[in-house]
């Protein structure tokens, strides 16, 4: 994972924008499931560009969730739920 802390909503890794190709076919999403949280760049991207979408992120490693919250600004809020479980 890679996150620019000054612009956490940008997707710096070349494959990441392709994760959102579903928006080409359906422009309005109500819910998004992210399997594998990493540094949370996909959460930041969605919060900026689709602020109404409900995000659920599942990460198997509790340490990754802790690090994403502590160092990368990922936080649970009304529209963002984090789950520590096997996706």
């Amino acid at each position: 994972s890679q996150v620019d802390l000054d612009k956490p909503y940008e997707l710096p890794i070349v494959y990441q924008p392709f994760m959102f190709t579903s928006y080409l076919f359906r422009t309005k999403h109500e819910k998004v499931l992210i399997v594998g949280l990493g540094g949370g760049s996909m959460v930041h991207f969605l919060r900026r560009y689709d602020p109404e979408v409900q995000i659920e992120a599942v990460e198997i490693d509790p340490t990754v969730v802790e690090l994403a919250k502590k160092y990368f600004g990922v936080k649970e809020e009304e529209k963002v739920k984090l789950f520590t479980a096997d996706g």
Side-chain angles (χ1 to χ4, degrees):
S1 187
Q2 185 177 358
V3 177
D4 180 341
L5 296 177
D6 293 324
K7 300 176 199 167
Y9 49 83
E10 289 187 357
L11 300 174
I13 301 174
V14 73
Y15 73 85
Q16 287 178 316
F18 296 104
M19 307 283 279
F20 299 99
T21 55
S22 63
Y23 279 86
L24 295 172
F25 304 102
R26 184 176 179 192
T27 57
K28 184 65 180 155
H29 289 33
E30 294 175 24
K31 295 180 180 181
V32 172
L33 173 64
I34 299 170
V35 180
L37 178 62
S41 59
M42 293 194 300
V43 171
H44 290 299
F45 175 86
L46 285 167
R47 293 301 299 133
R48 172 144 179 150
Y49 295 107
D50 194 357
E52 295 304 313
V53 73
Q54 178 67 43
I55 303 165
E56 294 184 355
V58 180
E59 171 57 55
I60 195 168
D61 189 340
T63 303
V64 171
V65 175
E66 181 181 321
L67 293 173
K69 289 178 178 180
K70 185 173 181 177
Y71 294 109
F72 298 109
V74 176
K75 57 186 167 199
E76 289 193 84
E77 49 194 15
E78 181 183 343
K79 298 275 183 181
V80 178
K81 304 297 178 210
L82 305 175
F83 299 94
T84 303
D86 188 347

